[in-house]
């Protein structure tokens, strides 16, 4: 500063005897001085004339009168007057600007120009978020940039209220070097000052970067800092006023938008559409990433919501006391969590499952007009920082307004669900259902009614009177309707004869009165149950197989042949749970039954999806067939796909059980294709549709052999040669099973394996095939070497270890009649 002032003294031509440069006046004093200088030349002689001014006598004007004499100002004084004028002009200029964006833009330009800086920026404090923000133009858009109000050099100046001059930014501990790295701009020097109001409150900071003199970088000095602070003080009023106006305009806009949102949302009576609207508007209103409206299901004590739309829509449900939402629902109090992972109530499991990262949470209860909490609204991840108290109040007001709409939508949804339920029930019933109004006109007829009564369409009967439709041989039905209308008592006719078209139908007919909750007559309902032989046969067959198969048999018209007994080629599937005794001991009776029911449900679905027939459950084992009672051209492939699906489904189920800390289970499967006999087998008191034969027994033996071969799915050569699809498998042995004399080639199916469960699978299969060739030829050393290569590819392949042991055993015995066949001594 001393050097600068010395330079300025030389510039003004002051001598040693001249008075010292007075201290820089405050901005207001400077403004007054500038104002006086602009008006007129002072009428009185200054108190001290600078000694550098030339001593001359009073000059005369043209009219001969003496002109008033004025003193010459020093360079520093002129400098101060110029700046005072600039500050006055700044105040006048700012007073004419109406928007905050314009004020920020103008101030940044002025600061850059007056401080000779390459760049400058102005940050205002947002007390709600604890951030400093500025706005920059990007094309036609305005981008808002925010930083924490205690970070970086700007944050330090804001927090301390002290301006700073930094000669080398990269040596300062508070400087954030990453910004230069991101933008490519090189910051050398920084001048930063707080923006203070007349009351001394700090509302932001202003900073200038890289002062230049011509093409050279120079340092900022204290004179620059004092001037920057003066400009900041002058601009504070304009900043406060425009920010206040903007805030009021934003609040008014939000209020108008809020009213529009509430009006739009509450006009929706479809519950799913309303949920989607509420979540979308809450997300947009609070500038968040995601929101969910959970409603309470009083029957199940669960909070639920609809996520997604159309075919991707899914319902989320969880107990209404769990998690953040459960806490808000049970307590009736809002929760605002700025940092989710720092709150012990937050469950990160959902984030791990979906990949979504939750930062902040705002959750408020939704109460009806009686004050009862009926749900919660949860909003996640406000953009730009945590949720504020204002956000919480807005969300509370929003949920208070939409609660009436929610109750109306729920009521409408319940009514609609009941209507849909009744219509679906009528349409899905196998019995014909016809209803009449109080005048006797037919108003409904379900799909079964059209079929049983041989109608072309329901429209052929709707609108007619019951008396017009039930005529001739069916006139007795009209008599029943009149009787029920008079007595209001249900009438049932069992095994009655009816005639529709040219066919006679045996039916059970029930006529019921329809009465409102107030006891008013609404009409009648006629239910017709077709009990013809086809229907009785279908009902019997559905006990043994999937209803779809039963339908096919009925449409074929030869169901008696299937039930009476027939011989056909089929692929038989056996599966059995491993270590079942250990499981029963660990779980007890009830736990075992529950486990088996869940296991069988998963496995049977895999079988029926491929058109298989479940024959029976044998304890923990499953016996099924593909090809009976209805054959397909690819029954072997269907059986193979079902078996692979059973293995992968079990693996998925085991993952779920393991995650819950429950015991996992394992099973083995065997497939064999052969000619079997099927039909209704048993005694007159108890009969079952099942199958018998050697092909069934071999499938059971292969399932049992899985233990010895350390496999999960073994198939016979008879199934293998009929497969049309391509599968990953390996030839594991030529074996004579228990009870047989001829060897059977057995294959292990590996399609269910992953890279984790069987690494380098194809390499392992190739080495194993090579080992089997050497093994069959009696080349024990070569076989051992090949199986060892398999173990290098997959150290967990126990079957290769088994074959190495066999080769060493056979090498020691050296059998002379070796033909490569292994005899299985156990079932």
């Amino acid at each position: 500063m001393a050097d600068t002032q010395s330079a300025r003294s030389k510039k003004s031509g002051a001598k040693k005897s001249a008075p010292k440069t007075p201290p820089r006046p405050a901005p207001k004093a400077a403004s007054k001085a500038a104002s006086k200088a602009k008006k007129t030349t002072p009428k009185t002689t200054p108190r001290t004339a600078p000694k550098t001014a030339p001593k001359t006598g009073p000059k005369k004007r043209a009219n001969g009168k003496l002109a008033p004499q004025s003193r010459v100002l020093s360079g520093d004084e002129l400098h101060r007057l110029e700046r005072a004028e600039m500050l006055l002009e700044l105040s006048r200029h700012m007073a004419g600007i109406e928007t905050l964006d314009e004020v920020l833009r103008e101030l940044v330009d002025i600061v850059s120009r007056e401080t000779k800086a390459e760049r400058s920026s102005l940050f205002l404090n947002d007390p709600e978020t604890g951030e400093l923000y500025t706005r920059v133009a990007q094309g036609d858009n305005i981008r808002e940039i925010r930083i924490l109000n205690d970070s970086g050099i700007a944050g330090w100046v804001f927090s301390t209220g002290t301006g700073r001059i930094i000669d080398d930014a990269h040596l300062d501990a508070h400087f954030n070097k990453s910004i230069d790295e991101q933008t490519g701009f090189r910051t050398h020097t920084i001048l930063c000052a707080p923006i203070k109001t007349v009351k001394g409150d700090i509302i932001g900071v202003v900073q200038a970067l890289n002062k230049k003199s011509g093409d050279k970088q120079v340092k900022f000095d204290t004179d620059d800092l004092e001037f920057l602070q003066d400009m900041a003080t002058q601009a504070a009023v304009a900043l406060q006023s425009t920010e206040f106006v903007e805030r009021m305009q934003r609040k008014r806009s939000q209020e108008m938008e809020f009213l529009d949102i509430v009006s739009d949302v509450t006009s929706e009576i479809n519950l799913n559409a309303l949920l989607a609207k509420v979540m979308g508007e809450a997300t947009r209103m609070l500038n968040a990433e995601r929101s969910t409206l959970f409603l309470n299901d009083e029957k199940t004590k669960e909070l639920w919501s609809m996520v997604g739309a159309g075919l991707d829509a899914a319902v989320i449900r969880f107990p209404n006391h769990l998690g953040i939402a459960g806490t808000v629902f049970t307590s009736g109090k809002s929760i605002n969590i700025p940092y989710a992972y720092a709150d012990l109530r937050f469950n990160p499991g959902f984030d791990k499952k979906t990949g979504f990262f939750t930062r902040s949470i705002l959750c408020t209860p939704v109460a009806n007009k009686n004050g009862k909490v009926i749900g919660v609204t949860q909003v996640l991840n406000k953009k730009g920082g945590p949720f504020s108290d204002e956000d919480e109040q807005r969300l509370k007001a929003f949920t208070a307004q939409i609660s009436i709409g929610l109750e109306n939508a729920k009521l409408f949804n319940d009514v609609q669900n009941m209507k849909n339920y009744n219509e679906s029930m009528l349409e899905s019933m196998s019995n014909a259902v016809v209803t009449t109004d109080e005048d006797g006109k037919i108003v409904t007829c379900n799909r079964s009614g059209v079929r049983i009564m041989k109608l072309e369409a329901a429209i052929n009967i709707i609108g007619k009177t019951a008396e017009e439709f039930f005529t001739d041989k069916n006139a007795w039905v009209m008599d029943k309707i009149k009787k029920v209308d008079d007595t209001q008592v249900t009438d049932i006719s069992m095994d009655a004869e009816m005639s529709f078209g040219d066919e006679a139908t045996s039916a059970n007919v029930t006529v019921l009165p329809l009465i409102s909750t107030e006891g008013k007559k609404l009409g009648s309902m006629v239910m017709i149950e077709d009990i013809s032989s086809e229907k009785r046969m279908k009902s019997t067959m559905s006990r043994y197989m999937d209803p779809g198969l039963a339908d096919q048999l009925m449409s074929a018209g030869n169901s008696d042949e299937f039930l009476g007994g027939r011989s056909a080629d089929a692929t038989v599937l056996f599966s059995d749970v491993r270590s079942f005794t250990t499981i029963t001991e660990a779980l007890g009776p009830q736990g075992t039954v529950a486990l088996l029911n869940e296991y069988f449900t998963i496995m049977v679905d895999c079988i029926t999806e491929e058109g298989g027939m479940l024959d029976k459950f044998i304890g923990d084992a499953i016996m099924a067939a593909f090809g009976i009672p209805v054959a397909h051209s690819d029954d072997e492939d269907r059986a193979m796909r079902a078996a692979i699906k059973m293995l992968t489904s079990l693996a998925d189920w085991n993952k779920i059980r393991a995650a819950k800390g429950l015991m996992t289970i394992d099973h083995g499967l065997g497939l064999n294709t052969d000619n079997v006999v099927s039909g209704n087998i048993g005694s007159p008191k108890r009969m079952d549709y099942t199958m018998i034969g050697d092909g069934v027994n071999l499938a059971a033996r292969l399932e049992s052999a899985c233990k010895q071969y350390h496999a999960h799915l073994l198939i016979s050569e008879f199934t293998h040669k009929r497969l049309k699809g391509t599968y990953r498998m390996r030839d594991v042995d030529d074996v004579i099973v228990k009870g047989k004399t001829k060897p059977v080639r057995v294959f292990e199916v590996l399609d269910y394996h992953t890279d984790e469960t069987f690494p380098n699978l194809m390499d392992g299969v190739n080495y194993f095939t090579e080992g089997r060739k050497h093994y069959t030829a009696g080349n024990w050393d070569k076989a051992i070497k090949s199986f060892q290569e398999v173990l290098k590819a997959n150290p967990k392949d126990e079957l290769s270890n088994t074959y190495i042991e066999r080769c060493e055993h056979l090498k020691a015995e050296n059998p002379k009649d070796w033909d490569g066949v292994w005899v299985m001594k156990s079932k």
Side-chain angles (χ1 to χ4, degrees):
M1 186 69 184
D3 293 339
T4 305
Q5 298 220 3
S6 174
R8 285 177 182 156
S9 297
K10 291 175 183 177
K11 206 171 187 180
S12 64
K15 297 180 180 179
K16 291 184 179 178
S17 58
K20 293 181 179 179
T21 304
R24 185 187 293 269
K28 289 184 178 178
S31 299
K32 289 178 182 177
S35 178
K36 288 178 182 178
K38 274 191 163 184
K39 289 180 180 178
T40 58
T41 309
K43 293 181 179 180
T44 59
T45 304
R47 288 177 295 175
T48 306
K51 294 183 178 180
T52 55
K55 294 182 180 180
T56 59
K59 294 182 179 179
K60 288 185 179 182
R61 291 179 177 173
N63 59 10
K65 295 182 179 181
L66 293 175
Q69 187 175 0
S70 62
R71 73 180 180 88
V72 177
L73 299 178
S74 69
D76 191 60
E77 288 174 320
L78 286 172
H79 181 64
R80 289 177 180 275
L81 284 174
E82 288 173 0
R83 287 199 170 178
E85 286 183 3
M86 195 284 296
L87 292 173
L88 281 174
E89 181 60 29
L90 174 65
S91 297
R92 287 195 295 269
H93 184 60
M94 290 296 106
I97 299 177
E98 297 181 352
T99 68
L100 181 60
D101 290 343
E102 289 181 84
V103 170
L104 291 172
R105 184 167 56 249
E106 288 295 321
L107 283 174
V108 166
D109 291 344
I110 292 170
V111 169
S112 296
R113 184 173 64 251
E114 295 299 326
T115 60
K116 298 181 176 59
E118 282 189 62
R119 286 189 186 180
S120 61
S121 56
L122 191 152
F123 291 89
L124 292 177
N125 181 51
D126 186 342
E128 292 182 356
T129 62
E131 295 172 318
L132 294 174
Y133 71 91
T134 188
R135 294 170 185 169
V136 295
Q138 289 187 339
D140 295 332
N141 300 319
I142 299 295
R143 179 189 173 199
E144 189 168 280
I145 300 173
R146 287 177 172 262
I147 60 173
L148 293 176
N149 63 14
D150 59 354
S151 68
I153 292 172
W156 187 92
V157 169
F158 175 80
S159 301
T160 62
T162 304
R164 288 196 65 187
I165 300 172
I166 299 173
D167 294 335
D168 190 337
H170 286 261
L171 297 179
D172 192 278
H174 296 103
F175 179 65
N176 186 357
K177 299 178 182 178
S178 63
I179 297 177
D180 275 14
E181 293 172 357
Q182 292 172 12
T183 62
F185 180 79
R186 174 72 179 182
T187 303
H188 299 284
T189 57
I190 299 176
L191 179 67
C192 189
I195 303 173
K196 295 183 180 181
T197 66
V198 292
K199 294 182 179 179
D201 297 328
I202 301 175
I203 63 171
V205 295
V206 59
Q207 65 180 7
L209 308 179
N210 297 1
K211 182 177 180 181
K212 299 195 81 172
S213 176
D215 295 331
K216 295 182 180 180
Q217 294 280 351
V218 295
K219 297 179 181 179
F220 292 104
D221 55 29
T222 54
D223 182 58
D224 295 322
L225 178 59
E226 185 177 353
F227 183 47
L228 184 62
Q229 289 173 330
D230 290 343
M231 284 193 289
T233 302
Q234 289 295 104
V237 174
L239 287 169
Q240 277 188 300
S241 61
T242 53
E243 189 177 31
F244 176 78
V245 170
E246 182 182 274
R247 188 161 58 249
M248 291 301 100
Q249 289 175 340
R250 186 167 61 247
K251 282 185 177 293
R252 177 171 175 76
S253 175
Q254 287 174 347
E255 289 171 0
M256 298 302 295
E257 182 186 17
F258 179 79
L259 293 175
D260 291 339
I261 290 172
V262 170
S263 175
D264 180 53
V265 168
T266 54
S267 64
E268 181 62 64
I269 59 173
N270 181 283
L271 184 57
N272 291 340
L274 177 59
L275 289 174
K277 273 190 176 182
V278 170
M279 290 186 283
E281 294 298 345
T283 302
R284 187 172 63 86
M285 183 175 67
L286 297 184
N287 194 26
E289 291 184 9
R290 184 178 293 185
S291 64
T292 309
L293 173 60
F294 293 103
L295 296 178
N296 182 49
D297 187 333
E298 294 185 352
K299 293 181 180 179
T300 62
K301 305 295 182 185
E302 293 175 318
L303 291 174
W304 69 275
S305 184
M306 181 71 70
V307 178
L311 297 175
D312 296 327
V315 176
I316 297 174
R317 284 182 174 269
F318 57 89
N320 62 13
H321 65 281
L322 295 182
I324 303 295
T327 302
V328 171
F329 176 78
T330 53
S331 68
K333 296 180 180 179
S334 299
I335 291 178
N336 188 346
I337 302 175
Y339 306 104
Y341 279 82
D343 195 292
L344 296 177
R345 294 168 295 184
F346 175 66
N347 180 7
F350 184 79
D351 280 11
K352 293 179 181 177
K353 186 176 181 180
T354 62
F356 183 79
F357 182 75
T358 303
R359 297 188 304 275
S360 55
I361 302 173
L362 176 59
C363 192
T364 62
V366 180
N368 62 14
K369 60 183 179 180
N370 299 320
K372 180 182 177 182
V373 179
I374 60 174
V376 296
T377 302
Q378 181 173 273
V379 190
L380 306 178
N381 294 4
K382 181 177 181 179
K383 297 173 183 176
F387 294 100
S388 63
D389 292 338
E390 182 183 352
D391 293 329
E392 185 174 336
Q393 294 306 317
R394 292 186 70 201
L395 187 59
K396 283 182 178 178
F398 180 60
T399 53
Q401 292 297 320
I402 65 168
S403 60
I404 297 174
L406 281 171
E407 292 244 284
N408 292 338
K410 282 183 67 178
L411 180 61
F412 175 78
N413 189 65
D414 291 341
V415 172
Q416 192 66 33
N417 285 341
M418 183 61 69
K419 179 176 179 293
N420 293 339
Y421 174 79
N422 290 335
E423 290 178 352
S424 298
M425 182 176 65
L426 286 175
E427 289 301 310
S428 62
M429 290 178 67
S430 59
N431 296 341
V433 178
V434 176
T435 61
T436 66
D437 61 17
E438 57 184 347
D439 297 324
K441 286 188 176 181
I442 297 173
V443 292
T444 63
C445 176
N446 68 347
R447 189 181 297 115
S448 294
V450 173
R451 175 176 55 80
I452 291 173
M453 295 185 292
K454 305 296 188 292
L455 301 171
E456 291 183 5
I459 196 172
N460 294 343
I461 185 175
I462 293 174
K464 291 183 178 181
T465 63
E467 198 165 5
E468 288 176 328
F469 183 75
F470 293 109
T471 58
D472 299 331
K473 294 182 180 180
N474 299 329
W476 62 271
V477 177
M478 192 62 225
D479 295 334
K480 297 288 185 182
I481 293 174
K482 290 179 179 179
K483 177 184 174 183
V484 169
D485 185 59
D486 292 337
T487 63
Q488 293 295 292
V489 177
T490 300
D491 184 276
I492 301 174
S493 301
M494 303 297 294
D495 200 10
E497 289 295 323
M498 300 190 75
S499 178
F500 298 109
D502 298 329
E503 296 182 15
T505 301
S506 296
N508 295 330
V509 180
T510 303
V511 182
L512 304 93
L514 297 178
I515 308 171
S516 70
T517 54
E518 292 82 13
K520 181 183 176 182
K521 293 181 181 179
L522 299 177
S524 303
M525 176 187 289
V526 180
M527 296 180 63
I528 304 171
E529 180 187 7
D530 182 1
I531 55 172
S532 61
S533 59
E534 288 82 6
K535 185 173 182 179
R536 288 196 298 270
M537 183 64 71
K538 180 181 176 181
S539 176
T540 302
M541 294 173 62
S542 295
R543 293 170 52 204
Y544 308 118
M545 65 196 73
D546 182 85
L549 286 176
D551 285 340
Q552 292 183 48
L553 292 177
M554 291 299 300
S555 61
N558 55 353
S559 54
D560 287 336
E561 176 187 345
F562 291 104
L563 294 177
R566 62 193 290 262
S567 176
D569 286 343
T571 299
V572 182
L573 180 150
F574 263 86
S575 77
D576 187 41
V577 175
R578 297 287 177 259
S579 305
F580 187 69
T581 303
T582 304
I583 294 173
T584 56
E585 290 174 353
L587 298 180
Q590 293 182 343
T592 302
V593 171
L595 174 74
L596 281 179
N597 287 340
E598 192 172 358
Y599 167 77
F600 284 147
T601 299
I602 297 171
M603 297 302 112
V604 170
D605 284 346
C606 298
I607 294 168
T608 55
E609 282 174 9
E610 292 294 340
M613 182 201 75
L614 174 67
D615 186 291
K616 63 171 67 71
F617 299 118
I618 309 169
D620 59 314
I622 297 174
M623 177 177 168
F626 295 78
I628 58 170
V630 177
H632 306 88
S633 61
D634 62 340
D635 283 314
E636 296 76 20
D637 291 88
R638 289 171 178 254
M640 180 73 92
R641 291 195 297 267
I644 293 170
K645 182 71 179 295
M646 289 168 74
L647 288 168
T648 56
S649 297
L650 180 64
D652 293 340
W653 187 45
N654 275 333
K655 289 178 182 177
I656 297 172
R657 290 182 60 82
K660 296 178 180 179
L662 301 176
M663 178 186 296
T664 59
I665 64 174
D666 193 11
H667 66 180
L669 295 98
L671 295 180
N672 179 47
T673 303
D674 202 348
N675 190 273
V676 298
V677 175
S678 63
N680 244 353
I681 300 174
S683 71
K685 293 184 178 181
R686 172 67 185 272
M687 302 189 78
D688 284 317
Y689 182 85
T690 188
M691 53 190 172
I692 55 176
D694 286 342
V696 177
N697 296 335
L698 180 55
R701 297 287 186 273
L702 292 177
E703 175 277 318
S704 180
C706 285
K707 302 172 188 175
Q708 299 180 34
Y709 289 95
H710 307 284
H712 285 89
L713 175 55
L714 294 178
I715 67 172
S716 70
E717 62 182 285
F718 311 113
T719 300
H720 178 266
K721 67 184 179 183
R722 295 195 186 189
L723 292 172
K724 297 178 176 63
T726 302
Y727 307 90
R728 294 182 299 177
M729 61 180 74
R730 59 180 175 180
D731 168 10
V732 298
D733 211 352
D734 293 305
V735 61
I736 298 176
V737 300
K738 185 76 172 178
K740 293 289 182 179
T741 57
K742 293 183 178 180
V744 176
R745 178 155 291 184
V746 180
F747 296 83
E748 180 187 8
V749 180
L750 304 170
D751 265 39
Y752 67 93
H753 273 298
T754 64
D755 291 337
E756 182 180 352
T757 58
F758 201 126
N760 307 306
L761 190 147
M762 293 314 299
D763 289 341
V765 169
N766 292 334
Y767 283 124
F768 190 91
T769 302
E770 183 179 87
R772 278 275 295 138
K773 290 179 180 178
H774 293 313
Y775 168 87
T776 303
N779 298 323
W780 315 120
D781 291 331
K782 291 183 179 180
I784 291 172
K785 185 177 180 182
S786 296
F787 292 127
Q788 287 172 342
E789 290 296 326
V790 178
L791 291 172
K792 289 180 182 178
N794 178 18
K796 297 180 181 178
D797 188 34
E798 293 297 329
L799 183 56
S800 293
N801 282 324
T802 299
Y803 262 100
I804 290 173
E805 292 174 3
R806 276 196 196 179
C807 289
E808 290 174 347
H809 172 73
L810 292 168
K811 180 180 178 181
E813 287 191 354
N814 193 21
K816 295 181 180 179
D817 55 347
W818 173 250
D819 57 0
V821 176
W822 188 262
V823 179
M824 190 177 292
K825 298 180 180 178
S826 62
K827 292 185 179 181

